[in-house]
Amino acid sequence: MSVEFRSECDDIEEAKSPSNTSVAAVAVKNADASVYKIIHGYLKQKNNSIIRVAANVTRKAASNKLSRKTSDVFDTLIQQQQSKWGNKTGPLLSGICYCIASCSMILLNKVVLSGYNFDAGISLMLYQNFVCVVILLILELFRVITTEELTWKLIKVWIPVNLIFIGMLVTGMYSLKYINVAMVTILKNMTNIITAIGELYIFRKGQNKKVWAALFLMIVSAVCGGITDLSFHLIGYTWQILNCFLTAGYSLTLRRLMDTAKQSTKSGSLNEVSMVLLNNALSIPFAIILVIIFDEWEYVCQAEVIREPMFWVVATASGLLGLAISFSSVWFLHQTGPTTYSLVGSLNKIPISVAGILLFNVPVSVENFCSIVFGLFAGIFFAKAKMS
């Protein structure tokens, strides 16, 4: 059947006509805008055969439908492949970054304090905090990260946490100067014991029998390690015991004040990056005061080591690694979970201990070595017990 089309209005009315059973009429009746446009395009070209129009429209619609289906299939396959690849590589890559940053940080601090015989641990902490703050501000400037605005209300809430944080860093620095890396990692297990006791009395959170058994093994390993340590140093052990109390106190205080701190922000939340910036920024003025009180500034000005370029390279690297630990730990925790994070943290002490003994030529007896190994496995047993 052939029809003469005189104008666009006549064409559209003819397509809408109930007597016309073509594809065009059906498409318009069903309010299919895309097909309607295709019909309208053919009509504007003065195509005089409604059958030809219907055939072209059908062919075009089928082609579009097939293309959309094919595109959807490919999009789905790509998304599935990307998701599958991300699920496999994410936890592995984040775990490797966390382990490398954690190991390197401890070893570099040991190099600065013992290798270069640098006796200004507070000054080193001040420089590391300064490096962290500068990097975070640069990242925020380029909108790579977002942080909460520092208000006086938030600062007042955070000062108790920050004071403990400073004490934790300073005692950690001085303990590393006098004690070998392997024994530091074993003695750090004492932090878990203090934290567990604190949770019991402050948060009324009990632990199962396996956890208490693991904690007892940690005490045994620490005592045996101290007795058999050929390079035992009373001052170093004192600093490390203080570090354990302050580290546990930091964790418990942070948990207790977190809700209050979130309420003190404008957004009502406080992310990990903001906490890193807050801790490092607030530490700088307190560190300056401590440097003046302990006369470290005079020592630093006269020290020959600060004139060595490699010293500044290592010190700067340790500051960058401190920031890397903060980011990689958050990334790894997000990719896996608290249990895996805790277990990997315990396993991570093994390469740190081995590297510390080999790199710094630490004299180790058979008894001391067995105590170190026993303490490492006690840490792994503790992480596994926390999972159950």
Side-chain angles (χ1 to χ4, degrees), residues 76-332:
T76 303
L77 288 173
I78 291 170
Q79 289 174 0
Q80 288 177 349
Q81 189 63 30
Q82 288 176 341
S83 177
K84 186 177 179 181
W85 179 257
N87 290 337
K88 286 183 177 180
T89 59
L92 179 62
L93 185 60
S94 60
I96 291 172
C97 290
Y98 168 69
C99 290
I100 291 174
S102 180
C103 291
S104 303
M105 177 68 176
I106 294 176
L107 295 174
L108 278 181
N109 280 341
K110 182 68 175 176
V111 169
V112 174
L113 295 168
S114 297
Y116 285 97
N117 198 26
F118 189 65
D119 290 326
I122 301 173
S123 300
L124 177 61
M125 181 199 72
L126 171 62
Y127 181 70
Q128 290 175 346
N129 291 338
F130 175 75
V131 170
C132 287
V133 171
V134 170
I135 297 298
L136 287 173
L137 291 177
I138 291 173
L139 292 176
E140 188 175 21
L141 181 65
F142 288 97
R143 298 186 179 182
V144 178
I145 59 172
T146 55
T147 59
E148 289 293 329
E149 183 181 346
L150 301 185
T151 62
W152 282 112
K153 186 178 179 181
L154 177 60
I155 291 172
K156 284 189 291 185
V157 172
W158 201 261
I159 282 178
V161 178
N162 188 249
L163 289 174
I164 300 174
F165 175 76
I166 294 170
M168 181 180 70
L169 293 182
V170 171
T171 53
M173 292 285 189
Y174 282 112
S175 66
L176 262 178
K177 179 171 178 58
Y178 296 105
I179 310 177
N180 66 73
V181 175
M183 281 308 304
V184 166
T185 57
I186 299 305
L187 293 172
K188 278 182 177 292
N189 285 336
M190 302 295 291
T191 303
N192 297 323
I193 301 168
I194 302 168
T195 304
I197 296 172
E199 287 179 340
L200 182 63
Y201 284 97
I202 298 174
F203 301 104
R204 303 298 176 187
K205 180 183 177 182
Q207 306 290 345
N208 58 50
K209 293 180 180 179
K210 290 183 179 179
V211 171
W212 289 113
L215 294 174
F216 175 74
L217 294 177
M218 289 179 180
I219 295 174
V220 173
S221 66
V223 172
C224 293
I227 294 173
T228 58
D229 187 3
L230 297 179
S231 56
F232 179 85
H233 200 293
L234 181 60
I235 296 176
Y237 272 72
T238 303
W239 281 117
Q240 185 54 51
I241 292 171
L242 286 173
N243 178 260
C244 291
F245 276 97
L246 289 169
T247 304
Y250 175 75
S251 174
L252 296 169
T253 307
L254 184 64
R255 195 179 309 176
R256 190 165 190 173
L257 294 179
M258 183 57 69
D259 292 335
T260 307
K262 288 180 179 179
Q263 294 171 4
S264 303
T265 61
K266 292 184 178 180
S267 66
S269 63
L270 189 64
N271 58 33
E272 296 287 346
V273 179
S274 298
M275 285 192 286
V276 173
L277 178 60
L278 194 59
N279 269 329
N280 285 280
L282 290 181
S283 298
I284 292 175
F286 289 115
I288 292 173
I289 294 171
L290 290 174
V291 167
I292 295 172
I293 291 173
F294 289 97
D295 288 331
E296 278 197 5
W297 64 275
E298 188 175 350
Y299 165 81
V300 172
C301 291
Q302 295 177 356
E304 294 291 332
V305 71
I306 66 169
R307 294 171 178 80
E308 297 182 24
M310 274 307 299
F311 171 80
W312 289 106
V313 171
V314 175
T316 304
S318 66
L320 293 174
L321 283 170
L323 187 60
I325 289 174
S326 301
F327 282 115
S328 61
S329 60
V330 173
W331 180 27
F332 184 45

Side-chain angles (χ1 to χ4, degrees), residues 40-99:
H40 187 62
Y42 278 110
L43 293 175
K44 286 180 71 176
Q45 294 174 8
K46 306 300 182 181
N47 202 330
N48 293 331
S49 173
I50 195 67
I51 297 175
R52 193 180 305 155
V53 170
N56 288 334
V57 167
T58 304
R59 191 181 303 111
K60 184 73 175 177
S63 176
N64 286 344
K65 187 175 181 181
L66 181 61
S67 298
R68 284 196 300 271
K69 284 186 176 181
T70 305
S71 178
D72 290 343
V73 169
F74 276 111
D75 287 343
T76 303
L77 288 173
I78 291 170
Q79 289 174 0
Q80 288 177 349
Q81 189 63 30
Q82 288 176 341
S83 177
K84 186 177 179 181
W85 179 257
N87 290 337
K88 286 183 177 180
T89 59
L92 179 62
L93 185 60
S94 60
I96 291 172
C97 290
Y98 168 69
C99 290

